Amino acid sequence: FDGWQRERADFVNYRKRVERDLRDLQQTAAADTLQSLLPILDDFERATASVPEDLRQLPWLEGIIAIQRKLQKVLEDQGITALDPVGEVFDPSLHEAIATDASTDVPSGHVTATLQKGYLHGDRVLRPALVRVAS
């Protein structure tokens, strides 16, 4: 009788471990898919930022900006948050320092500029923010 109960407990533990592993695999796959969309969002942001002010009211451009907003909304709905850490203390787990700035306006060790936004999926860093840091 004891052997049967032990086998049953082992099976329950095995089932829980398999379910947890499957959940982790699904979350990793979803995060990988969402991460592959980040360069597209970067391209949208660079393209819309470079449009001259006198062309911003063109209907086709408004359509492109609407597509960009939809993509941002999809990512937000999936738990993706952007990192734009200007003024924050440099955190090597969230930021990647590309250069330093000799700045008297910003305290040493704080981010002076974001060169490329970073993104989080929950607590997981999908991509660190590329930043300049005050020296």
Side-chain angles (χ1 to χ4, degrees), residues 5-6 10 12-13 18 20 35 39 46 55-56 60 68 83-84 88 94 100 115 125 135:
Q5 285 181 329
R6 192 172 311 118
D10 286 345
V12 168
N13 290 335
V18 167
R20 183 187 65 237
Q35 187 175 12
R46 278 190 292 273
L55 299 179
R56 290 208 175 261
W60 63 269
Q68 176 188 359
L83 294 173
D84 190 359
E88 296 177 10
L94 300 174
T100 58
L115 306 175
V125 176
S135 55

Side-chain angles (χ1 to χ4, degrees), residues 34 37-38 40-42 44-46 48 64-82 117 119:
L34 294 169
L37 296 174
L38 298 179
I40 298 168
L41 187 58
D42 292 338
F44 269 119
E45 289 177 355
R46 278 190 292 273
T48 56
I64 289 174
I65 292 171
I67 293 169
Q68 176 188 359
R69 281 194 299 263
K70 278 185 183 179
L71 179 57
Q72 286 173 326
K73 176 93 169 81
V74 166
L75 293 175
E76 288 170 6
D77 290 348
Q78 296 301 315
I80 304 294
T81 54
K117 287 181 186 176
Y119 291 92

Side-chain angles (χ1 to χ4, degrees), residues 2-20:
D2 286 338
W4 179 80
Q5 285 181 329
R6 192 172 311 118
E7 289 300 319
R8 182 175 166 94
D10 286 345
F11 178 73
V12 168
N13 290 335
Y14 168 76
R15 190 180 72 209
K16 287 179 182 177
R17 187 174 59 247
V18 167
E19 288 172 354
R20 183 187 65 237

Side-chain angles (χ1 to χ4, degrees), residues 83-89 95 106 110-115 131-132:
L83 294 173
D84 190 359
V86 173
E88 296 177 10
V89 175
H95 315 135
V106 179
H110 285 67
V111 176
T112 57
T114 301
L115 306 175
V131 298
R132 295 177 66 90

Side-chain angles (χ1 to χ4, degrees), residues 16-32 121 124:
K16 287 179 182 177
R17 187 174 59 247
V18 167
E19 288 172 354
R20 183 187 65 237
D21 290 348
L22 183 60
R23 248 190 339 269
D24 290 346
L25 181 62
Q26 289 171 335
Q27 288 176 346
T28 300
D32 289 346
H121 183 238
R124 178 180 172 200

Side-chain angles (χ1 to χ4, degrees), residues 97-112:
I98 300 299
T100 58
D101 289 329
S103 175
T104 57
D105 299 336
V106 179
S108 178
H110 285 67
V111 176
T112 57

